[in-house]
């Protein structure tokens, strides 16, 4: 039997930590990380591994999982899309070709309306499962997390996960959720 292929696209603004999350998932440097916005331009694809799907014990089905780290789609409220031309076109092709989208939001910075616009574009144009991640949670006071969670979940009508690439908080939960979605 032919193995299934699952592609997971990481999408979000510049410097939201998409590359850092990919590196945390793999436990090594896959994507270049920098404080300078726009470091990732062309998609960075990396095969993660295979998971068993279905419930058969004899001759089980497996799925190959690949992560795609995409460049930032916006940089702030008063700035336009940061990619243009063939780079932007390739980014949208990768999103279109993905089976699951991880929408990453930088929890340590101001939440611009552009994060909502992007989420709704992803939700209604691509009609794929979306996991929303509030990254850099180690920089958010614990007392403010629940308010942030409620706000983002209310605005996006999507459950959110907190992650930190520095402390690895939430990375295991994110992987478990990805696997659970892919096994459906």
């Amino acid at each position: 039997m032919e193995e299934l292929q699952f592609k997971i696209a990481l999408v979000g603004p510049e410097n939201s930590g998409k590359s850092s999350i990919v590196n945390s998932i793999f436990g090594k440097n896959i994507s270049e990380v920098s404080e300078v916005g726009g470091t990732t331009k062309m998609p960075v694809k990396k095969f993660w591994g295979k998971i068993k799907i279905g419930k058969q014990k004899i001759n089980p089905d497996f799925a190959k999982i690949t992560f795609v780290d995409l460049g930032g789609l916006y940089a702030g409220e008063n700035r336009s899309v940061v990619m243009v031309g063939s780079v932007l076109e390739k980014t949208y092709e990768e999103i279109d070709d993905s089976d699951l989208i991880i929408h990453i939001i930088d929890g340590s910075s101001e939440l611009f309306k552009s994060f909502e616009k992007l989420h709704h574009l992803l939700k209604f144009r691509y009609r794929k499962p979306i996991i929303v991640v509030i990254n850099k949670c180690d920089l958010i006071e614990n007392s403010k997390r629940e308010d942030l969670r409620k706000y983002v979940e209310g605005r996006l009508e999507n459950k959110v996960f907190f992650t930190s690439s520095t402390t690895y908080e939430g990375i295991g939960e994110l992987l478990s959720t990805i696997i659970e979605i892919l096994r459906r």
Side-chain angles (χ1 to χ4, degrees):
M1 174 175 219
E2 188 176 317
E3 290 181 332
L4 296 171
Q5 306 276 336
F6 284 109
K7 186 187 291 186
I8 301 164
L10 283 82
V11 179
E14 282 186 343
N15 284 18
S16 58
K18 297 176 298 297
S19 298
S20 295
I21 287 178
V22 167
N23 292 343
S24 295
I25 287 170
F26 282 87
K28 60 183 178 180
N29 289 334
I30 302 298
S31 291
E32 187 177 346
V33 176
S34 171
E35 290 183 22
V36 176
T39 300
T40 304
K41 294 199 181 358
M42 291 304 287
V44 176
K45 295 182 197 178
K46 182 68 175 169
F47 172 71
W48 182 68
K50 292 195 266 186
I51 62 165
K52 181 180 157 232
I53 56 174
K55 301 198 187 289
Q56 311 100 264
K57 291 187 179 184
I58 299 173
N59 297 322
D61 292 330
F62 286 90
K64 292 181 176 181
I65 300 173
T66 300
F67 284 86
V68 182
D69 179 17
L70 299 171
L73 284 173
Y74 59 92
E77 200 58 31
N78 296 320
R79 294 174 63 186
S80 62
V81 173
V82 292
M83 289 186 276
V84 294
S86 63
V87 175
L88 184 60
E89 186 177 305
K90 183 67 177 156
T91 296
Y92 283 125
E93 284 174 16
E94 291 294 341
I95 295 169
D96 192 40
D97 194 38
S98 69
D99 299 288
L100 174 66
I101 299 168
I102 301 176
H103 180 190
I104 300 172
I105 299 167
D106 181 351
S108 70
S109 67
E110 184 179 347
L111 295 177
F112 299 109
K113 287 191 191 240
S114 48
F115 89 90
E116 271 183 80
K117 290 176 187 173
L118 175 60
H119 186 80
H120 292 300
L121 169 80
L122 296 171
K123 186 175 184 176
F124 296 110
R125 178 186 288 178
Y126 297 104
R127 302 195 180 276
K128 299 175 189 224
I130 300 174
I131 297 174
V132 177
V133 169
I134 298 174
N135 195 32
K136 303 181 186 181
C137 70
D138 55 306
L139 303 176
I140 306 168
E141 293 176 35
N142 286 336
S143 62
K144 294 183 179 181
R145 283 191 189 190
E146 193 54 33
D147 289 339
L148 182 58
R149 175 191 309 275
K150 287 179 184 175
Y151 175 76
V152 173
E153 286 181 348
R155 298 301 301 174
L156 302 184
E157 298 176 352
N158 209 108
K159 181 180 178 187
V160 301
F161 294 88
F162 284 100
T163 61
S164 167
S165 300
T166 303
T167 66
Y168 287 85
E169 180 182 341
I171 299 297
E173 183 182 8
L174 175 61
L175 279 171
S176 295
T177 301
I178 290 168
I179 292 168
E180 180 185 318
I181 289 170
L182 296 180
R183 285 189 170 149
R184 289 187 205 148

